Amino acid sequence: MRFSDFVFSIALAAVVSAGVVDRRAAFSLKNGQDAQALNKKFQSLTPNSPCTSGEEACVNGKLAQCVGNKFAITPCSATLQCFALPLVNKPGTSITCDTNQDAQSRIAATGAQGGITGKRDLQSRANPAAPPACPKTTRRDFTPTESNLLKRIAQTDLVAVAQSWQNLCVASGGPRSPGPDPCVQLAGQNGISSLLAGADACAQQDNADAMIDFAKKPGIKNQQALIANAIAYRKHPRNALNINGVTPSTPFCQRAPRNPELKGVANGQLKGVDPGLFGGPNSAVVPFGAAGTCPFGQTPNVATCTCH
């Protein structure tokens, strides 16, 4: 092959490759934005939402398919939740189970701005007004030079929380295989991630339920200690992030736990959060009285800023 032919072949390959990239870029961004729009829509769905047979969606972080005009719910595995994700090689989206971090990365890779739902620009998000009866907290704005770690109320005991479960689990004599090791998965993996501000509102309860499920397996030597640890874990506050100058309380799970030991048990709120506003990095900030501002089974009283 002559040198000129070789150069021409390389140039032709580059042009073809550039064309493929350009075509992919044309639909890649739209795929990311379409996935964000679906994830935003899914936040408002419940198991009782109307649907069209054959429709697929995410409902409370779980896979959902409409059968007979009613959603049939299929839980994801313990470490995952349901998301709409952008396809890579052709236009469109898919609905599947994934980690929050990977879902954010896949959407960001398309060039779409704003995270899972397109609403991660926290500084431009306007907060609603809290009911007058709710105590006021001091507004604190952050400059761009401040560390992101300063924008949350820090919790220094999360490692100890995870370690306490792991120690009891290892001493229990319970089954640790096949499959993920519950002494690790329910502690440092799901245990800590479920206490982060961006976690699903029911992720902490799901993990506590899984802890009690393990405690009730045959051959467990310290069942009561494990159950007590799961209840204490369920009461632990979640991380809270500063959003547009205020740090809202973290939303409460709005479904019943599987195990009776967790009935009426809910996560606490960190000292310093705004009791009149609820929300997080992956959910809208709403005033007390909206859905998720009281533990499951309780009703908000806006006049007194209390739950009954």
Side-chain angles (χ1 to χ4, degrees):
M1 177 183 291
R2 293 178 301 174
F3 179 74
S4 59
D5 293 337
F6 177 70
V7 172
F8 175 77
S9 298
I10 294 177
L12 179 61
V15 170
V16 172
S17 177
V20 171
V21 171
D22 287 343
R23 289 195 300 273
R24 180 177 296 176
F27 64 73
S28 181
L29 176 59
K30 187 175 186 305
N31 286 357
Q33 293 170 338
D34 288 347
Q36 289 176 321
L38 285 172
N39 288 322
K40 180 181 177 182
K41 172 186 173 183
F42 295 159
Q43 288 184 335
S44 65
L45 296 180
T46 71
N48 296 321
S49 295
C51 62
T52 303
S53 291
E55 177 184 355
E56 294 182 344
C58 298
V59 175
N60 294 333
K62 299 177 176 60
L63 292 166
Q65 184 171 25
C66 190
V67 179
N69 298 320
K70 183 176 176 60
F71 279 123
I73 309 297
T74 303
C76 296
S77 65
T79 59
L80 308 177
Q81 54 185 311
C82 181
F83 295 101
L85 298 177
L87 296 180
V88 176
N89 294 318
K90 61 181 181 180
T93 59
S94 64
I95 296 174
T96 188
C97 295
D98 198 3
T99 64
N100 187 287
Q101 181 177 3
D102 186 64
Q104 292 191 50
S105 297
R106 289 174 182 267
I107 291 174
T110 69
Q113 301 288 317
I116 299 292
T117 63
K119 284 196 170 184
R120 288 293 300 278
D121 186 4
L122 303 183
Q123 294 302 322
S124 64
R125 185 191 299 178
N127 290 327
C134 297
K136 300 296 187 294
T137 57
T138 302
R139 177 186 172 93
R140 182 185 177 193
D141 292 310
F142 291 85
T143 66
T145 58
E146 289 186 276
S147 167
N148 285 334
L149 291 177
L150 295 177
K151 296 184 181 182
R152 65 181 175 86
I153 299 179
Q155 295 194 85
T156 60
D157 66 337
L158 294 188
V159 173
V161 169
Q163 191 65 52
S164 66
W165 167 262
Q166 187 169 10
N167 291 344
L168 288 171
C169 180
V170 170
S172 71
R176 299 179 62 181
S177 62
D181 185 346
C183 298
V184 176
Q185 184 183 48
L186 301 180
Q189 294 178 2
N190 293 0
I192 291 181
S193 63
S194 297
L195 294 175
L196 301 182
D200 180 83
C202 291
Q204 182 181 1
Q205 177 173 283
D206 290 344
N207 197 65
D209 263 323
M211 289 173 164
I212 294 179
D213 290 343
F214 175 82
K216 293 179 178 179
K217 289 182 179 294
I220 297 293
K221 297 183 291 187
N222 56 352
Q223 182 183 89
Q224 292 307 310
L226 288 170
I227 291 176
N229 184 276
I231 294 172
Y233 169 83
R234 180 65 185 97
K235 294 179 179 179
H236 197 283
R238 288 165 53 199
N239 275 2
L241 291 175
N242 180 286
I243 298 176
N244 201 26
V246 299
T247 305
S249 302
T250 53
F252 294 104
C253 179
Q254 293 302 294
R255 54 179 166 79
R258 289 195 307 272
N259 290 284
E261 292 87 349
L262 295 176
K263 184 178 179 180
V265 181
N267 55 287
Q269 299 290 344
L270 288 173
K271 182 179 180 180
V273 298
D274 193 316
L277 296 173
F278 286 73
N282 293 323
S283 61
V285 176
V286 297
F288 178 80
T293 59
C294 279
F296 177 75
Q298 297 188 29
T299 302
N301 185 332
V302 178
T304 59
C305 199
T306 55
C307 299
H308 302 284

